[in-house]
Amino acid sequence: MTRATTAVRQGGAAPAPLVGVALMAVAIPGAYGGRGLALASRYVGLQLVRGVTLIIALRPRRAHAREERFLFWFVVSGVLWIIGGFAAPAWRTGLWLAALVINYLAAALRYPTPVRGRIPLEQYSQLSVHFGERYQQIAILALGELTLTFGGLPYTPARAVGFAAALLTALLFWQIYVLQSNKLVDRSVHRRPRQSVYLAPYIYAVVVTGVIATSAGVDLVLHEPLGVTTPASWVVLIVGGPVLFVVGRMNSEYVLLG
């Protein structure tokens, strides 16, 4: 991230993304019901507003070319997000997965864009002091999902035990990852800045996926705390989520620090 981008973010551009993320969060529970289009349109709208705002703000410094590449690919993937919002749930997953694949593939190829070309490799060595904070905040938001289900369910002792287990899991996840993530990323930034920028989105996708899977497992436990005919897929989800989280955390330290 360039210094110019950092200056823009320090200049008070955060409220708009914050509102956009909050609106997305409201639509997430009904993403495969009647709120698919609401989720998709809010996500795409957030990315478009962010991209256009940064391009306008960075143009005087002639530092807008990178944001133009990002915006181009978000428009491409955004089409699939919007179509998925209109589509039936059976098609929605495939369309949204295709949009995610486009985003990650574009990042892996350094956002090749007509006229602009790819992001120069030397730009991957330009980082701001907020690089580590960004991923720490992502993990904190994801961990919050672990304890949101309990409030909407009738109280039973079994559910209380399940909620306590979810809370303990969230605290352990925080200790394992969030507590040291700033130091981990900041050290890797100084040792391998290019590798940190290039690989961090993929590494932390594994970590966040582990949290999401664990959250889904918690939801199952809280809805059926005394279930005796638990399908094997439930066991895989409940156990696999924490395992995936820990594997992602181990991989992040190995890749970023060697």
Side-chain angles (χ1 to χ4, degrees):
M1 187 185 303
T2 63
R3 293 180 180 178
T5 307
T6 303
V8 170
R9 293 192 174 180
Q10 290 176 336
L18 180 62
V19 172
V21 171
L23 292 174
M24 283 176 56
V26 172
I28 285 175
Y32 283 90
R35 296 183 179 178
L37 181 60
L39 175 65
S41 61
R42 290 167 188 178
Y43 172 72
V44 174
L46 174 63
Q47 298 296 341
L48 293 178
V49 170
R50 173 192 173 276
V52 172
T53 301
L54 286 174
I55 289 172
I56 294 173
L58 295 174
R59 188 175 294 275
R61 296 185 174 92
R62 297 183 179 179
H64 59 285
R66 183 171 176 172
E67 298 301 329
E68 288 178 348
R69 297 182 180 96
F70 293 163
L71 182 60
F72 173 84
W73 283 105
F74 274 120
V75 169
V76 173
S77 63
V79 173
L80 293 179
W81 279 103
I82 298 299
I83 294 175
F86 282 106
W91 290 90
R92 191 167 295 167
T93 299
L95 289 166
W96 285 356
L97 283 176
L100 288 174
V101 168
I102 288 174
N103 285 338
Y104 276 96
L105 186 60
L109 297 174
R110 294 187 283 124
Y111 296 95
T113 307
V115 180
R116 288 294 184 186
R118 302 186 184 193
I119 296 176
L121 280 174
E122 58 268 18
Q123 289 191 17
Y124 283 87
S125 300
Q126 300 174 6
L127 297 173
S128 77
V129 295
H130 301 291
F131 182 74
E133 294 176 4
R134 180 199 308 176
Y135 290 102
Q136 185 184 50
Q137 291 164 1
I138 290 172
I140 291 172
L141 289 171
L143 290 177
E145 283 291 314
L146 287 177
T147 55
L148 289 179
T149 307
F150 184 68
L153 297 172
Y155 174 83
T156 66
R159 285 199 175 97
V161 172
F163 176 75
L167 187 60
L168 178 61
T169 301
L171 291 173
L172 288 173
F173 278 13
W174 178 83
Q175 184 179 14
I176 291 170
Y177 173 70
V178 179
L179 189 62
Q180 297 293 331
S181 65
N182 250 10
K183 294 179 182 179
L184 170 67
V185 178
D186 286 343
R187 277 189 293 165
S188 68
V189 162
H190 291 97
R191 291 186 184 185
R192 307 175 178 186
R194 182 177 297 178
Q195 187 172 9
S196 299
V197 176
Y198 199 69
L199 296 178
Y202 305 95
I203 295 169
Y204 290 103
V206 177
V207 174
V208 173
T209 301
V211 176
I212 294 172
T214 304
S215 179
V218 167
D219 185 76
L220 292 175
V221 170
L222 292 181
H223 278 87
E224 298 288 342
L226 299 177
V228 294
T229 57
T230 304
S233 59
W234 287 23
V235 177
V236 171
L237 188 64
I238 294 169
V239 177
V243 170
L244 188 61
F245 174 88
V246 174
V247 169
R249 172 63 179 81
M250 292 168 59
N251 190 50
S252 67
E253 185 162 352
Y254 176 75
V255 171
L256 295 179
L257 295 180

